């Protein structure tokens, strides 16, 4: 249940920091998601929380107690690996029982032949056997108890890994991209199973992923990481609606937030490419900005309505909706130029099967959905209308 | 991501209080120590003692009682023909053996690589020579090489060729020993090359077929490049082992006839146990070690150059 | 074209046959000789085909050669070498595979370079060393000497197997409360048993086949392993050759059987450290 405090946690291999000055205060019983692209350091962070990797500098505390030097088993944690890390030579039942058996082992019990004997006898004790059976029942593994991991499907192995964590009843559950090896459908199913587990045990969860859908659906709090640095800490709603910088804005959402290069001058904000006026009275100082608007917030203008002129460059018909990529302004249908997606403004609109490349449309949106980011730093500019600051911006 | 090594890097800045050494690291030392200490005692120390002995005039009856003689032993050894004959014999033996085993082993591997009925049987059969104890090999080959009753001369007699003293004729001694060696050792090359061949990505073969390559050019453009690093390593191993090899030569010819097969290691043994000159024996041994080291260095340099070439091409 | 393929296949088959004959003939000849009387061997000429009817007489002829006692000695030396080598090798392999520590590279280099050392150079100093330790003329001393050469090979074989086990499984055990040394016995060892078996076979036969040290260190002929005993017959023909060959075949048989069974694993382990990919 612990409250976790990270104080300037740093991890370096040699001189390059993989994690740099990570500071956060997470209440207990949160489902914390560490979200970021590959290589951002999130797995390293998780391993430091687990005690599998050494902290180079800074402290990690559980409920006020610094845990930097504690062995994993002293921290009362459970860890689910991306590859599940099941013991191949043991049955499912033995895998699940292993943590309980280890609790009872004395140092000399580890001698090769003696250890098999001891493992078997401890596993037979009622308090152990019952717990294993109970956990297997909860995760629907009862009929697989005597199988070896290699005879199981991906989803089943996942559940064995979860069972092995559940059986120890830890204070913190640590999960390292547990769903990335599963196919899409199974992923959706397992997502709700893990969320269900969280609700049932009511303990702290720390979950690492690069998939923002997982983060948005499961987390009570998200920490977005990029290249070892915290980009933003917040609830899913805060991350979505008020991203602290351009990176977070682009990372969240599918497609991510559109960031149109714009210039502010004398109270007007103009699109740099087409020169169209995007916003008046934004209250920004003169300079270069990124005009941020989520694809979901853009609609096609009705006939006769005013809006931004744009030309369609790509269309994706998804059945339930259409995702169209636009270039602002009038363009000839075929400049023969390859589409530079960096310039493209995406919109998610109700299904429009007739829409095709080269068509001209007008785009409308709510002023309240706009986010501004400075072009040089990428940081969000607080709205002139006094909206609340986003939490936990980049240090 | 899976990690195969344990992160043992200590914290970069000391924190108040806890600067304890992780118990894991100590365990690592404890686990490797027995093996390292064992080798130090039973190999390194004797090696150093052996080299030290080359600077004394120790004799077999009193191994430790030799008086230091500086570089006298080296002068004597390098000045006498016997050492240079040994060196020549060693180089000859090594070159012939390495060539023979590489050629036969690779050929066998290529042949066995295709699937066919009874392949496991054939491969097993081809492994027999390597498994046989050297003494047994020496026994049977000595009998087969026997001048009057051996099967080789009998077979040649049928063809009208006269009796050859395979192990007694100075012109044939080396060849006979090389033949017996190649017979015994080629399966090792075969197994290693076979393993390498079987790791060739099947898709490469298919691509070659689509491009219209026949068997020979497929071999040259797909198989050989993949095989090259393996062959280099095997060549190195074979060379070092050839320089070391003692028993088969000792048992078949004892260094003869007329010292034609008196390789460096045989020389060492005979100088020590027949001539009873330990100091001189150690000298030959030390020089032989130098030869081994030089050869290894040459190989490593070639290897590095080849690696660079392969990386940039 | 079909003709080309048939010819190619014919060539390959012939080549394979040639290789099989090449590899098998000396072994076959050894068996043949074991079944041929001395008269035939020296006077009338050895027959190309074995005289199967002489087979029942072979066990009796072995009495000419004290092979029984010799094989027991060989077995003792081989077994001792295996036990000691495996103990050192397994611990060392785990350390080299999993731990990063100062001098790890040096340790690995040491192990590899010992494969270069010629026994002939070390015979004399070891002779002197064992003399002072009172280990000469004893099978125990041979176990110690053989282990020094066999252990690095066993270590490489086991290490290459440990390298293939994802470290995450051990970390999982660590999180589950398993102490570090327990990770070796509970997790790693059960998963590398095949390679340990292969290493055991290699070290066993290093001890079984070894000749030089046994020949030099042992003075009592009762202590002779089969390698030394049989070596006295090379080129000597006073003892019936058929008995000698029968004894030699008996000596070779275990090695052949085991090695053929385990060839793939042995070779992959031996070369894993050296060969890339």
């Amino acid at each position: 249940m612990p409250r976790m405090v990270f104080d300037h946690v740093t991890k370096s291999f040699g001189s390059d920091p993989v994690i740099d000055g990570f500071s956060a205060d997470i209440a207990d019983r949160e489902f914390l998601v560490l979200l970021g692209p590959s290589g951002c350091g999130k797995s390293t962070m998780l391993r430091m929380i687990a005690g599998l990797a050494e902290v180079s500098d800074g402290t990690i505390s559980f409920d006020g107690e610094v845990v930097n030097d504690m062995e994993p088993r002293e921290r009362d944690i459970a860890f689910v690996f991306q590859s599940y890390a099941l013991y191949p030579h043991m049955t499912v039942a033995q895998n699940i029982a292993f943590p309980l058996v280890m609790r009872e082992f004395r140092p000399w019990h580890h001698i090769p032949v003696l250890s098999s004997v001891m493992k078997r006898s401890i596993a037979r004790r009622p308090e152990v056997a019952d717990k294993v059976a109970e956990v297997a029942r909860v995760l629907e593994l009862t009929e697989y108890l005597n199988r070896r991991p290699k005879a199981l499907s991906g989803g089943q192995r996942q559940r064995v890994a979860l069972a092995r964590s559940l059986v120890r009843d830890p204070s913190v559950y640590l999960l390292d991209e547990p769903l990335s090896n599963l196919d899409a459908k199974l992923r959706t199913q397992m997502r709700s199973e893990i969320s269900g587990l969280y609700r049932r045990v009511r303990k702290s969860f720390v979950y690492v992923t690069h998939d923002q859908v997982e983060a948005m659906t499961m987390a009570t709090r998200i920490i977005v990481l990029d290249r070892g640095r915290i980009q933003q800490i917040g609830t899913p709603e805060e991350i979505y609606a008020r991203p602290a910088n351009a990176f977070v804005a682009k990372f969240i959402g599918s497609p991510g937030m559109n960031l149109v290069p714009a210039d502010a001058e004398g109270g007007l904000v103009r699109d740099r490419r087409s020169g169209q006026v995007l916003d008046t009275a934004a209250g920004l100082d003169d300079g270069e900005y990124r005009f941020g608007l989520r694809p979901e917030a853009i609609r096609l203008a009705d006939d006769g309505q005013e809006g931004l002129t744009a030309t369609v460059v790509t269309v994706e018909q998804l059945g339930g909706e259409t995702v169209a990529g636009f270039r602002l302004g009038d363009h000839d249908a075929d400049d023969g130029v390859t589409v530079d997606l960096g310039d493209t403004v995406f919109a998610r609109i109700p299904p429009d099967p007739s829409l095709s490349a080269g068509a001209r449309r007008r785009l409308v949106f709510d002023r309240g959905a706009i986010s501004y980011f400075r072009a040089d730093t990428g940081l969000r500019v607080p709205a002139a209308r006094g909206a609340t600051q986003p939490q936990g911006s980049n240090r | 991501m899976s990690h195969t090594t344990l992160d043992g890097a200590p914290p970069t800045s000391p924190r108040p209080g806890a600067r304890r050494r992780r118990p894991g690291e100590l365990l690592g030392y404890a686990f490797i120590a027995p093996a390292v200490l064992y080798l130090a005692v039973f190999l390194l120390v004797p090696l150093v003692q052996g080299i030290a002995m080359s600077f004394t005039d120790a004799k077999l009856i009193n191994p430790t009682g030799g008086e230091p003689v500086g570089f006298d032993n080296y002068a004597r050894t390098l000045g006498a023909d016997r050492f240079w004959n040994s060196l020549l014999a060693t180089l000859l033996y090594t070159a012939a053996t390495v060539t023979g085993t590489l050629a036969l082993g690779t050929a066998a591997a290529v042949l066995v690589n295709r699937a066919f009925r009874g392949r496991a049987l054939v491969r097993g059969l081809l492994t027999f020579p390597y498994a046989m104890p050297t003494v047994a090999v020496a026994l049977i080959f000595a009998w087969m090489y026997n001048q009057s009753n051996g099967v080789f001369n009998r077979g040649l007699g049928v063809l009208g060729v006269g009796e050859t003293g395979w192990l007694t004729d100075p012109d044939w001694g080396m060849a006979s020993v090389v033949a017996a060696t190649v017979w015994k050792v080629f399966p090792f090359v075969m197994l290693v090359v076979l393993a390498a061949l079987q790791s060739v990505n099947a898709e490469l073969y298919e691509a070659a077929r689509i491009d219209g390559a026949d068997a020979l050019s497929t071999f040259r453009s797909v198989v050989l490049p993949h095989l090259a690093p393996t062959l280099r390593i095997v060549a190195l191993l074979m060379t070092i082992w050839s320089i070391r090899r003692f028993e088969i030569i000792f048992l078949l010819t004892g260094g003869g006839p007329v010292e034609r097969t008196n390789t460096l290691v045989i020389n060492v043994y005979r100088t020590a146990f027949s001539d009873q000159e330990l100091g001189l024996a150690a000298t030959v041994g030390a020089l032989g070690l130098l030869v081994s080291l030089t050869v290894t260095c040459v190989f490593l340099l070639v290897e590095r150059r080849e690696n660079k070439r392969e990386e940039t091409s | 074209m079909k003709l080309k393929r048939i010819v190619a296949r014919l060539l390959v088959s012939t080549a394979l046959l040639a290789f099989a004959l090449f590899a098998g003939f000396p072994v076959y000849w050894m068996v043949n000789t074991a079944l041929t009387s001395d008269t035939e061997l020296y006077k009338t000429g050895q027959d190309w085909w074995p005289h199967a009817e002489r087979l029942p007489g072979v066990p009796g002829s072995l009495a000419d050669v004290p092979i029984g006692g010799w094989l027991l000695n060989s077995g003792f030396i081989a077994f001792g070498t295996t036990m000691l080598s495996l103990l050192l090798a397994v611990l060392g392999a785990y350390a080299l595979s999993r731990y990063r520590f100062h001098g790890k590279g040096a340790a690995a280099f040491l192990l590899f370079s010992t494969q270069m050392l010629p026994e002939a150079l070390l015979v004399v100093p070891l002779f002197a060393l064992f003399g002072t330790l009172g280990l000469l003329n004893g099978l125990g001393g041979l176990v110690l000497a053989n282990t020094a050469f066999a252990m690095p090979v066993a270590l490489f074989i086991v290490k290459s197997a440990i390298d293939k086990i994802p470290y995450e499984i051990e970390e999982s055990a660590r999180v589950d409360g398993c102490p570090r040394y327990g990770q070796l016995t509970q997790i790693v060892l059960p998963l590398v048993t095949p390679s340990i078996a292969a290493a055991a076979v290699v070290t066993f036969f290093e001890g079984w086949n070894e000749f030089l040290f046994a020949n030099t260190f042992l003075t009592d002929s009762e202590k002779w392993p089969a390698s030394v005993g049989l070596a006295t017959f090379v080129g000597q023909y006073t003892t019936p050759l058929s008995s000698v060959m029968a004894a030699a075949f008996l000596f070779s048989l275990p090695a052949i059987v085991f090695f053929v069974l385990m060839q793939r694993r042995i070779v992959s382990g031996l070369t894993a450290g050296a060969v890339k990919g």
Side-chain angles (χ1 to χ4, degrees), chain A residues 215-241:
Chain A
M216 296 297 284
T217 54
M218 300 167 81
T220 62
R221 192 158 304 273
I222 301 179
I223 297 182
V224 181
L225 282 165
D226 183 34
R227 277 176 285 195
R229 292 233 166 89
I230 295 183
Q231 305 296 310
Q232 184 166 3
I233 308 178
T235 64
E237 295 70 35
E238 288 163 359
I239 304 273
Y240 180 82

Side-chain angles (χ1 to χ4, degrees), chain A residues 11 13 47 51 53-59 68-69 71 82, chain B residues 1 3 6-7 9-13 15 18-20 22-23:
Chain A
K11 173 78 182 158
F13 293 103
R47 303 175 109 249
E54 286 233 1
V55 177
S56 305
D57 203 1
T59 61
N68 286 34
D69 286 325
E71 276 289 294
Q82 188 176 350
Chain B
M1 264 186 308
H3 309 251
L6 168 66
D7 172 8
T12 49
S13 64
R15 283 180 316 281
R19 181 74 173 106
R20 74 171 196 206
R22 290 166 62 97

